[in-house]
């Protein structure tokens, strides 16, 4: 597994550099997806093609699940889950928080049942490299990372995100309004992969979001687990597209209790 992990870390670093170069050259919207503000750039597609070609050249029997449409069933029972540029809107605006996120998962490529084995998140703008290998801990640029020590919710800096549908964003904002007086403050970084990496290295105390896609969370969730954090879904369910919360285990309990009356899973 170490060999596969090193392979994907190398590919993610090269892919992030490709994204950075394309950003420098100038970025145009190639298409809209679920709504007019849910954009894809030509660079998203090019980076995904680059990652898929490199992975399949080395691992022809593995499956692929990519944000921009790459989909290969595979026969090995292993699937590479790829977000070529997580934080595409940041990328479009040249806000330096966008990342290549790749995870290797075992089992059906579905977050409630898969077992993530390896994950890497590389910030294309800063070059920071977050990586985790199941059972082997989590690292930032080669140095071991841990989630922040437990703090009461009132002292917790909590990240969240919003979907692309305007109605859902309004309902998500109402959840934030209900929570913000009970925590230190809220951050909306704009890349779920970097939010999760930030929890893993203690830059955020916690993070929650409804409506993430499998590729937004695959690598980041493993980072949090390997850094000693807890991942929760809603009401005892595993973390999923429906709801994901990540934090130190003690804080995760407190945030879950604070969020319960706000019903963030229904927004
Ligand atoms: C989005 C980002 C954002 C989160 C959205 C995601 P994309 O992914 O991770 O932070 O709030 O839910 O869809 O579209 O930039 O790959």
């Amino acid at each position: 597994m170490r060999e596969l992990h090193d392979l994907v870390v190398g590919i993610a670093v090269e892919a992030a550099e490709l994204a950075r170069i394309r950003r420098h050259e100038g970025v145009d919207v190639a298409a809209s997806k679920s709504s007019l503000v849910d954009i894809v750039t030509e660079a998203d597609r090019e980076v995904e093609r680059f990652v898929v070609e490199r992975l399949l050249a080395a691992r022809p029997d593995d499956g692929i699940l990519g944000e921009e449409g790459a989909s290969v069933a595979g026969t090995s029972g292993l699937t590479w889950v790829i977000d070529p540029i997580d934080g595409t809107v940041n990328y479009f605006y040249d806000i330096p928080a966008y990342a290549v996120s790749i995870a290797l998962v075992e089992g059906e490529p579905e977050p409630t049942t898969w077992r993530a084995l390896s994950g890497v998140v590389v910030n294309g703008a800063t070059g920071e490299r977050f990586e985790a290998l199941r059972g082997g801990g989590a690292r930032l640029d080669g140095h071991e990372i841990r989630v922040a020590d437990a703090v009461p919710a009132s002292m917790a800096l909590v990240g969240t995100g919003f979907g692309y549908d305007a109605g859902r964003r309004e309902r998500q904002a109402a959840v934030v309004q209900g929570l913000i007086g009970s925590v230190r403050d809220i951050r909306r970084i704009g890349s779920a992969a970097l939010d999760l990496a930030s929890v893993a290295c203690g830059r955020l105390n916690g993070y929650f979001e409804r409506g993430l896609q499998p590729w937004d969370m695959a690598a980041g969730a493993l980072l949090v687990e390997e850094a000693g954090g807890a991942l929760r879904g809603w009401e005892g369910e595993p973390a999923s597209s429906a709801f994901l919360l990540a934090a130190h285990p003690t804080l995760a309990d407190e945030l879950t209790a604070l969020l319960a009356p706000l019903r963030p899973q229904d927004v």
Side-chain angles (χ1 to χ4, degrees):
M1 194 46 59
R2 164 62 63 185
E3 219 173 283
L4 285 186
H5 179 72
D6 291 345
L7 167 81
V8 70
V9 170
I11 292 173
V13 167
E14 280 188 65
E17 176 62 5
L18 176 60
R20 192 189 65 75
I21 290 168
R22 293 292 179 260
R23 176 55 262 179
H24 187 68
E25 291 168 352
V27 166
D28 287 321
V29 172
S32 291
K33 298 192 282 186
S34 63
S35 79
L36 276 177
V37 292
D38 182 6
I39 54 171
V40 56
T41 71
E42 200 40 62
D44 289 82
R45 293 172 172 170
E46 185 185 357
V47 174
E48 182 161 296
R49 278 196 303 272
F50 170 84
V51 171
V52 169
E53 277 168 22
R54 292 289 302 271
L55 284 173
L56 287 182
R59 302 280 306 171
D61 298 334
D62 292 350
I64 299 277
L65 177 66
E67 175 174 26
E68 308 312 338
S71 175
V72 174
T75 53
S76 66
L78 300 175
T79 302
W80 299 95
V81 183
I82 304 161
D83 194 336
I85 301 181
D86 184 55
T88 301
V89 175
N90 285 346
Y91 186 68
F92 181 56
Y93 281 82
D94 206 10
I95 295 170
Y98 58 87
V100 174
S101 169
I102 313 175
L104 179 63
V105 306
E106 189 176 50
E108 287 299 307
E110 144 58 41
T112 54
T113 53
W114 72 32
R115 187 162 175 270
L117 304 174
S118 159
V120 57
V121 173
V122 182
N123 183 330
T126 65
E128 282 189 319
R129 186 184 82 237
F130 297 88
E131 54 180 296
L133 184 58
R134 178 160 298 278
R139 290 186 167 65
L140 165 55
D141 291 340
H143 302 288
E144 192 172 339
I145 49 174
R146 301 289 299 168
V147 295
D149 291 342
V151 291
S154 58
M155 297 304 287
L157 188 61
V158 179
T160 192
F162 302 104
Y164 287 113
D165 173 77
R168 173 174 280 182
R169 270 207 306 278
E170 283 181 2
R171 296 189 295 277
Q172 288 175 309
V175 172
V176 170
Q177 188 180 0
L179 182 70
I180 196 166
S182 306
V183 296
R184 178 193 289 264
D185 206 350
I186 296 285
R187 291 290 180 269
R188 196 295 194 243
I189 291 170
S191 158
L194 289 175
D195 286 311
L196 288 162
S198 297
V199 172
C201 72
R203 289 180 189 165
L204 287 176
N205 295 103
Y207 163 72
F208 72 93
E209 185 162 345
R210 160 148 173 81
L212 291 178
Q213 301 293 334
W215 40 81
D216 297 324
M217 67 173 91
L222 183 63
L223 282 166
V224 170
E225 283 186 301
E226 286 296 322
L231 275 182
R232 303 270 162 83
W234 197 249
E235 288 174 337
E237 297 289 319
S240 68
S241 289
F243 185 77
L244 174 149
L245 184 146
H248 184 285
T250 314
L251 177 63
D253 292 339
E254 207 187 335
L255 288 176
T256 301
L258 284 169
L259 284 166
L262 305 170
R263 304 199 58 78
Q265 82 282 20
D266 289 342
V267 301

